[in-house]
Amino acid sequence: MSHPTELRYSRAERVLHVAFDDGATFDLPAELLRVESPSAEVQGHGADGKTLVSGRAHVNITAILPEGNYAVRLVFDDQHDTGIYSWTYLRELGERRSELWDAYLAALAAAGLGREP
């Protein structure tokens, strides 16, 4: 498992820059991090399935809090703060960013929802 060597948030860009010890780097938009939060609130409780989160185009990260040596908890300005982002999950989000984003946009369109609040 690779570990981040840098986590840097650009408030102006609303992007979390993540660099890993194997040289991989990813730019993860705050909106993607929010709508793909690993929290039970978003990922669902058992068979309930994933919750589609809309209206987060302008969400920002207000704090990045360490969780041991394996993860961070991200606090968003919409008061969401329950997701623990492991290094493995951040890596997965980076590697699957385009696929996840496309699926999110398709789900919003199918539900008649949008990114704007």
Side-chain angles (χ1 to χ4, degrees):
M1 177 176 77
S2 58
H3 297 339
T5 56
E6 180 182 20
L7 290 173
R8 182 175 35 87
Y9 185 65
S10 170
R11 187 168 182 79
E13 296 175 4
R14 293 186 175 102
V15 170
L16 179 66
H17 304 282
V18 184
F20 285 90
D21 56 8
D22 64 357
T25 61
F26 302 102
D27 290 334
L28 300 172
E31 182 180 4
L32 178 68
L33 290 163
R34 174 59 179 91
V35 302
E36 292 294 334
S37 171
S39 70
E41 173 189 333
V42 172
Q43 295 302 322
H45 300 276
D48 291 345
K50 188 173 178 182
T51 299
L52 179 60
V53 180
S54 64
R56 297 303 190 270
H58 305 290
V59 73
N60 246 312
I61 296 171
T62 59
I64 301 171
L65 307 170
E67 292 288 333
N69 293 321
Y70 68 95
V72 290
R73 182 165 50 98
L74 300 179
V75 178
F76 296 88
D77 63 2
D78 68 353
Q79 308 310 305
H80 181 74
D81 65 355
T82 58
I84 305 296
Y85 295 76
S86 69
W87 305 147
T88 301
Y89 190 60
L90 284 174
R91 177 75 180 233
E92 179 184 344
L93 290 174
E95 290 174 348
R96 296 182 58 214
R97 176 184 168 176
S98 293
E99 170 194 345
L100 293 169
W101 187 252
D102 290 347
Y104 171 61
L105 294 178
L108 286 176
L113 300 171
R115 294 177 54 222
E116 293 298 322

